[in-house]
Amino acid sequence: MAADCEAWLNANPVEAGDLSDSFISAEEDNGGSGVSNKNAINEINGNWVSSTSNNIHEARLKAKAKRRLRKNSSRDSGRGDSLSDNGEVVRGPSMAPTSPKSKLLDRKSRMGKGRGLPKKGGAGGKGVWGRSGEVYEPVEVDKKDPNFDEDQENCVYETVVPPLDERDFEKTVTPIVQEYFEHGDTNEVAELLADLNLGPMRSEVPSLAVSLALEAKASQRELTSRLLVDLCGSVLSHSDMESSFDKLLRDLPDLVLDTPGAPQLVGQFIARAVSDQILSKSYIDGYKGKVDCEHARAALDRAAVLLKMSMGGLRIDNHWGTGGGQRPVIQLIKEMNLLLKEYILSGDGKEAERCLRDLEVPHFHHEFVYEAIVMVLESRGEKTFKMVLQLLKSLSLSSIITEDQMRRGYERVYMDIDEINIDVPLAYFILEQFVEKSFHMGVIGVILRDQCPHRNRKRFVSEGDGGVVKFERPQLGICCPCSFIASSCCLTAS
């Protein structure tokens, strides 16, 4: 009988709130016939059961409802449901179920047991390496472990940089030397080379630097000589220097193909190295009678001649010259003045352009323009006027002097014209004519032409002139600047 009841309950589940209505009393079944509950007989699935078996069935239903309620409460503890003594479910205050997303980061136990604390004290879970603030102490090695190796315990690990081969050496060191030609900082080159494992290629550094300097400018050759001096002793040894120059002498037949003047340049590098004491004085004497290559003999002869001249007072440490902005400003101004004077005497514009380019100071070309215009103002000659104007035009067309440098040169003359006029009384008039001619030849623009300063000198005449203000007009051919510019004077023209 009990098995039949349980089968019926499994087929027809009963909610916990409807337990009191699951069975119908004998009074309700008989229409209120007045039969007592004690002797009442109920019918379940067509079978008649007594009240004793009915009580057992109700107890089973209550136990099953309690288990179901306990299971639901462990899944969602916020509902607060409970079961009364008579088997009825008592609903607590309605609360929103916990979001599944919030449970992902919640480390509390879901087993319905314990005090609701995090698992393992907060040290459990995926991706967790322990409690917050926990410091791991070094693990003591068990010497009784069969896998214990005493030699491995005392091992020291270091970073090993493999030595550079010939191909990697050129790819790595060439950019370092080329960047040095731009910034000129030998300390930075020494630090970069110290970080490399040059190995047997260490002696190739000077030869590579000199090979690159052969195709560079004179100022960069001077930088190369300084680099060799600073590297010797800190990064390179004297034996490395000697073996490097030996390699240069052997490679001269190949270097001549790209640089025809390589023997003379290498000879100057050798003389400079001996003067800077990075090569021994007996280095050149060691090759006497042992050289078969004519290019190597020419290089050694050039070095020997320079060393003999140094004994007579020649400074080898300055035979390359100082290029670019490393020279003093006063020296640059003197060289520009000498360049202009040589151009006025020879009239060779190409040579003047080459000399100005060799100065390697494109940022200082405004000084050249300034000195050229001042020379025109001080000379007051027709030849200087025309030649300087033609030179500035050619330099402007070839872009050797940029538009900005040309403008700055003219503006500097405009600012200093008052002081120049003290020594050259006709400076205002000559400058006005020079600016006008420069504008017509396309050297300057209309804005720069309009900025040219003008000075009109006024004087009051005697009473016979009626107090009329007259402008001072110099006589043609005596002090008028137009006398050597045009056939008719712009000041005396009526």
Side-chain angles (χ1 to χ4, degrees):
M1 184 67 67
D4 296 336
C5 293
E6 189 171 356
W8 179 85
L9 287 174
N10 292 334
N12 302 287
V14 182
E15 295 294 334
D18 300 328
L19 292 175
S20 59
D21 299 333
S22 300
F23 302 95
I24 303 175
S25 61
E27 294 180 357
E28 294 175 348
D29 184 63
N30 297 328
S33 58
V35 181
S36 63
N37 292 335
K38 184 177 182 180
N39 298 322
I41 299 174
N42 296 329
E43 182 180 1
I44 299 177
N45 289 337
N47 299 320
W48 298 95
V49 296
S50 62
S51 61
T52 303
S53 57
N54 189 17
N55 294 335
I56 296 174
H57 184 68
E58 289 181 359
R60 290 178 178 176
L61 291 179
K62 289 180 181 181
K64 188 174 183 180
K66 287 182 178 181
R67 288 195 302 269
R68 183 179 299 175
L69 181 61
R70 188 182 298 112
K71 185 176 181 180
N72 292 336
S73 63
S74 64
R75 293 179 179 177
D76 191 358
S77 60
R79 296 182 180 180
D81 299 341
S82 61
L83 189 65
S84 61
D85 296 338
N86 56 3
E88 296 180 357
V89 179
V90 180
R91 300 289 182 180
S94 60
M95 297 179 61
T98 307
S99 175
K101 293 183 180 180
S102 64
K103 293 181 179 179
L104 294 176
L105 303 177
D106 189 4
R107 300 177 185 273
K108 293 183 179 180
S109 175
R110 304 297 176 200
M111 299 299 295
K113 300 178 182 180
R115 296 175 294 172
L117 299 177
K119 297 178 181 179
K120 300 181 182 179
K126 184 178 180 180
V128 178
W129 290 69
R131 298 184 183 91
S132 58
E134 184 177 359
V135 179
Y136 291 95
E137 298 180 355
V139 181
E140 296 182 0
V141 180
D142 187 9
K143 296 184 178 181
K144 297 181 180 180
D145 191 352
N147 296 325
F148 174 74
D149 187 0
E150 186 176 359
D151 296 336
Q152 186 178 2
E153 186 69 18
N154 300 326
C155 233
V156 178
Y157 298 95
E158 295 180 356
T159 303
V160 178
V161 180
L164 297 177
D165 56 5
E166 185 176 359
R167 181 181 301 177
D168 295 336
F169 172 78
E170 293 184 0
K171 291 182 179 179
T172 306
V173 180
T174 300
I176 295 177
V177 177
Q178 291 176 347
E179 290 179 3
Y180 167 71
F181 289 158
E182 300 296 332
H183 57 72
D185 189 0
T186 57
N187 293 328
E188 182 177 351
V189 178
E191 292 177 359
L192 293 175
L193 293 178
D195 295 338
L196 300 175
N197 187 3
L198 298 176
M201 304 298 296
R202 185 178 302 273
S203 60
E204 301 290 334
V205 175
S207 60
L208 178 60
V210 173
S211 301
L212 295 175
L214 294 179
E215 302 177 359
K217 302 177 183 178
S219 60
Q220 295 173 344
R221 295 168 190 158
E222 175 66 23
L223 290 175
T224 304
S225 297
R226 295 181 182 180
L227 177 63
L228 298 182
V229 175
D230 293 340
L231 292 181
C232 185
S234 59
V235 180
L236 305 174
S237 62
H238 291 276
S239 60
D240 294 334
M241 290 292 178
E242 291 183 359
S243 59
S244 181
F245 278 98
D246 292 341
K247 183 177 183 299
L248 281 173
L249 293 175
R250 292 194 302 267
D251 295 343
L252 272 178
D254 297 332
L255 295 176
V256 171
L257 299 177
D258 298 329
T259 308
Q264 288 73 23
L265 296 176
V266 172
Q268 293 180 8
F269 272 109
I270 294 175
R272 177 67 180 271
V274 174
S275 177
D276 293 334
Q277 298 181 358
I278 60 177
L279 289 179
S280 61
K281 295 182 180 180
S282 60
Y283 178 79
I284 300 178
D285 297 336
Y287 277 96
K288 287 185 177 180
K290 300 179 181 179
V291 181
D292 297 332
C293 179
E294 57 178 352
H295 301 296
R297 284 199 303 267
L300 293 172
D301 293 341
R302 175 64 175 171
V305 170
L306 290 176
L307 290 175
K308 289 181 180 179
M309 293 174 63
S310 65
M311 298 176 63
L314 177 65
R315 295 183 57 187
I316 298 182
D317 58 347
N318 198 27
H319 70 85
W320 291 120
T322 306
Q326 298 179 358
R327 278 175 286 190
V329 176
I330 298 177
Q331 181 182 355
L332 288 174
I333 294 175
K334 289 182 179 180
E335 293 184 3
M336 289 181 178
N337 284 325
L338 290 175
L339 192 157
L340 288 170
K341 291 178 182 179
E342 182 181 355
Y343 167 71
I344 296 298
L345 294 176
S346 64
D348 190 354
K350 297 295 183 181
E351 180 66 17
E353 292 181 6
R354 186 190 64 81
C355 294
L356 183 61
R357 191 184 296 108
D358 291 342
L359 290 178
E360 301 178 17
V361 283
H363 59 282
F364 201 61
H365 284 171
H366 60 86
E367 179 66 28
F368 180 82
V369 178
Y370 175 84
E371 295 294 339
I373 298 177
V374 171
M375 181 177 289
V376 172
L377 299 179
E378 293 177 349
S379 64
R380 293 187 296 178
E382 183 178 1
K383 178 182 177 182
T384 305
F385 187 96
K386 292 182 179 180
M387 292 185 67
V388 170
L389 192 61
Q390 185 65 31
L391 178 62
L392 293 180
K393 179 181 178 181
S394 62
L395 292 175
S396 177
L397 293 177
S398 60
S399 299
I400 296 177
I401 298 181
T402 61
E403 182 179 354
D404 178 66
Q405 295 294 317
M406 190 74 70
R407 177 182 55 80
R408 291 180 61 184
Y410 274 81
E411 289 178 350
R412 287 185 57 194
V413 177
Y414 294 168
M415 290 186 295
D416 296 344
I417 189 61
D418 291 334
E419 298 180 2
I420 298 174
N421 189 68
I422 297 176
D423 300 329
V424 184
L426 298 178
Y428 275 96
F429 302 104
I430 300 176
L431 178 62
E432 182 179 355
Q433 295 299 319
F434 187 84
V435 170
E436 189 67 26
K437 288 290 184 179
S438 299
F439 170 72
H440 288 300
M441 296 182 69
V443 179
I444 61 175
V446 62
I447 299 177
L448 192 59
R449 182 200 64 175
D450 296 340
Q451 293 177 356
C452 179
H454 302 274
R455 182 180 180 184
N456 294 326
R457 301 180 62 185
K458 300 179 181 180
R459 67 180 180 87
F460 289 95
V461 296
S462 61
E463 296 179 357
D465 295 330
V468 180
V469 179
K470 295 184 178 180
F471 296 98
E472 182 180 2
R473 296 179 180 178
Q475 296 180 4
L476 179 62
I478 299 178
C479 59
C480 177
C482 298
S483 59
F484 55 84
I485 299 176
S487 59
S488 60
C489 179
C490 61
L491 299 177
T492 58
S494 58

